[in-house]
């Protein structure tokens, strides 16, 4: 199932944002998901595992990186740096574990 987020009438695919984040040299893994707030609005949240432990990588740097390659609508509302990105037995990002561990 492909996630789609509608923002200002534009369809945004989180997988496209993941590809951009993964192209950053300091990013090892990334997962971008759609979350719904209390007002039932969809937004984009990214979880990023830096390539190196203790990296100086910041969420602001990643937001600027995405903004430099895509429209402003594609920049996640939240970019959270995590020490380990949980995966399923098939190697895909474990969205349920992310939401349980980090909330959304």
């Amino acid at each position: 199932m492909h996630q789609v987020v509608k923002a200002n009438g534009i369809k945004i695919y989180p997988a496209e944002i993941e590809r951009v984040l993964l192209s950053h040299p300091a990013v090892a893994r990334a997962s971008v998901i759609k979350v719904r707030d209390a007002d039932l609005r969809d937004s984009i949240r990214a979880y990023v595992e830096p390539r190196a432990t203790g990296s100086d990588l910041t969420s602001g740097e990643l937001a600027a990186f995405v903004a430099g390659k895509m429209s402003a609508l594609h920049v996640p509302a939240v970019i959270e740096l995590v020490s380990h990105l949980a995966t399923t037995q098939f190697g895909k990002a474990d969205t349920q574990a992310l939401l349980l561990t980090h909330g959304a």
Side-chain angles (χ1 to χ4, degrees), residues 3-76:
Q3 289 187 338
V4 178
V5 178
K6 280 199 144 185
N8 295 327
I10 305 291
K11 289 182 182 179
I12 297 173
Y13 295 90
E16 294 175 346
I17 302 166
E18 281 180 15
R19 282 191 287 277
V20 169
L21 287 168
L22 289 169
S23 72
H24 190 287
V27 172
R29 296 193 301 177
S31 180
V32 178
I33 60 174
K34 171 176 75 170
V35 295
R36 186 160 283 169
D37 66 18
D39 296 326
L40 301 179
R41 288 182 301 217
D42 290 340
S43 64
I44 301 166
R45 182 177 291 240
Y47 297 94
V48 175
E49 180 182 329
R51 201 168 288 287
T53 304
S55 170
D56 291 337
L57 186 63
T58 66
S59 58
E61 177 184 345
L62 290 172
F65 185 77
V66 172
K69 299 198 178 285
M70 304 179 89
S71 77
L73 293 174
H74 288 81
V75 177

